[in-house]
Amino acid sequence: MAGGGQAAVSFLTKVAKVAAGLGLAASAVSTSLYTVDGGQRAVIFDRFQGVLPAVVSEGTHFLVPWLQKPFLFDIRTRPHSFSSTSGTKDLQMVSLTLRVLARPDVERLPEIFTNLGLDYDDKVLPSIGNEVLKAVVAQFNADQLLTDRPHVSALVREALVRRAGEFNIVLDDVAITHLAYGHDFAQAVEKKQVAQQEAERSRFLVARAEQERRAAIVRAEGESESARLISDATALVGNGLIELRRIEAAKEIAGVIARSPNVSYIPSGNNGKMLLGLSTARDMVLYGYCPEATWFLNYLF
């Protein structure tokens, strides 16, 4: 029994040693492997050599535990936005918002890590963005930022790409997404628009008055020509045309009076007297009973 117990203890001790060895081996292998995901690159820091110049691509790789340590960079394009308040050439304050799409230069990742670290973009882009915006905006007047916006955007892009390249940062796109003027300038622009509208309205009124003046001249010339023709016709054939116009006017007036409820007629045998005790049509006019008759009698007499 004693011999069997010792054999069991010896076997278990060996199993424990093997398990411990396997655990240590697995731990060593685990610490010796690291994985670089898609869209990433790795930079290795060696305790003896410093940052190694080689850039590690995607996949699973070996390293020396404790001696080496990997640092992962995201090399995909990422958006960054920042705002700046700048002064224009005519001393107006303008607020601009700039959006850039940036990524690191993969071949220069060891240098970026050495000089700037993993948060290179947050350290560099806001400062150079504000610098470029202020330098470019100062070359233009406030109104030119709107009228020459494509040219302004091109200058900002060119200068920003050049400055970012000095820090090994690649810019895929640069765009001015927001542009706002100061309160005083906005009021001045509004007043200018109102003044322009008033000027347009004044020009319209002047043009309309000119057209009305020309129309009045044309009407006067037409009336003058008509009067001349009537005068020539009267001189040629006598007053027949005037008498005809008088008869036509009398017929029209008589029709208006006949439709009026304020006028009544009696037979002409009683010296032309009307009802209501009025002696003559002139009395009716004098007492104001029929305005139509007033106008008609004035026309006739």
Side-chain angles (χ1 to χ4, degrees):
M1 291 294 296
Q6 291 178 355
V9 170
S10 175
F11 176 75
L12 291 176
T13 302
K14 291 180 180 180
V15 170
K17 291 180 179 180
V18 171
L22 291 175
L24 290 175
S27 176
V29 171
S30 176
T31 56
S32 300
L33 296 176
Y34 67 96
T35 300
V36 180
D37 295 330
Q40 293 182 338
R41 294 293 185 272
V43 174
I44 303 300
F45 173 74
D46 189 282
R47 292 182 182 273
F48 296 132
Q49 303 180 34
V51 178
L52 300 181
V55 178
V56 183
S57 60
E58 302 166 354
T60 301
H61 306 273
F62 289 95
L63 55 76
V64 180
W66 183 83
L67 184 63
Q68 295 179 336
K69 182 178 180 180
F71 291 90
L72 301 179
F73 278 85
D74 188 353
I75 64 170
R76 290 168 291 192
T77 301
R78 292 187 296 174
H80 299 270
S81 297
F82 44 87
S83 300
S84 174
T85 301
S86 306
T88 62
K89 188 176 181 181
D90 54 354
L91 304 180
Q92 298 292 334
M93 300 306 296
V94 180
S95 298
L96 300 100
T97 300
L98 194 67
R99 181 190 62 84
V100 299
L101 297 179
R103 58 183 176 85
D105 186 352
V106 177
E107 301 299 328
R108 300 297 184 90
L109 285 180
E111 184 178 346
I112 293 175
F113 179 73
T114 301
N115 297 329
L116 301 173
L118 294 175
D119 54 346
Y120 62 93
D121 46 0
D122 293 333
K123 292 179 179 178
V124 173
L125 292 179
S127 59
I128 66 174
N130 280 281
E131 175 192 352
V132 169
L133 280 177
K134 292 181 183 298
V136 173
V137 169
Q139 303 176 22
F140 297 89
N141 292 330
D143 56 343
Q144 290 178 322
L145 295 179
L146 288 178
T147 57
D148 296 339
R149 185 163 181 169
H151 181 50
V152 175
S153 298
L155 290 179
V156 171
R157 175 184 175 85
E158 180 183 354
L160 198 57
V161 168
R162 184 177 63 255
R163 290 286 289 126
E166 298 175 2
F167 297 93
N168 303 313
I169 299 175
V170 179
L171 300 183
D172 294 328
D173 183 61
V174 178
I176 298 176
T177 58
H178 178 70
L179 174 63
Y181 293 100
H183 180 68
D184 295 337
F185 184 79
Q187 284 188 338
V189 171
E190 182 178 357
K191 292 179 180 179
K192 181 180 178 181
Q193 293 295 328
V194 172
Q196 290 179 347
Q197 292 176 0
E198 290 294 334
E200 290 293 334
R201 182 173 180 274
S202 299
R203 281 195 290 269
F204 169 75
L205 293 177
V206 170
R208 187 175 68 177
E210 178 65 20
Q211 292 297 328
E212 291 177 351
R213 184 185 67 83
R214 293 180 180 179
I217 292 174
V218 172
R219 283 196 301 270
E221 291 176 351
E223 292 174 356
S224 175
E225 182 66 18
S226 176
R228 186 186 64 80
L229 293 175
I230 293 175
S231 177
D232 293 344
T234 302
L236 183 62
V237 300
N239 295 330
L241 180 60
I242 297 177
E243 292 298 329
L244 177 61
R245 293 290 186 264
R246 184 190 297 272
I247 293 171
E248 290 176 352
K251 287 174 62 178
E252 183 178 357
I253 295 169
V256 173
I257 295 175
R259 290 190 297 270
S260 175
N262 299 326
V263 178
S264 299
Y265 299 92
I266 61 174
S268 59
N270 194 16
N271 197 20
K273 294 182 179 179
M274 290 187 178
L275 296 177
L276 303 177
L278 298 178
S279 59
T280 63
R282 289 181 179 274
D283 296 329
M284 187 176 179
V285 173
L286 292 174
Y287 287 103
Y289 287 100
C290 183
E292 296 88 346
T294 303
W295 186 86
F296 178 63
L297 293 175
N298 288 334
Y299 180 79
L300 293 178
F301 300 104

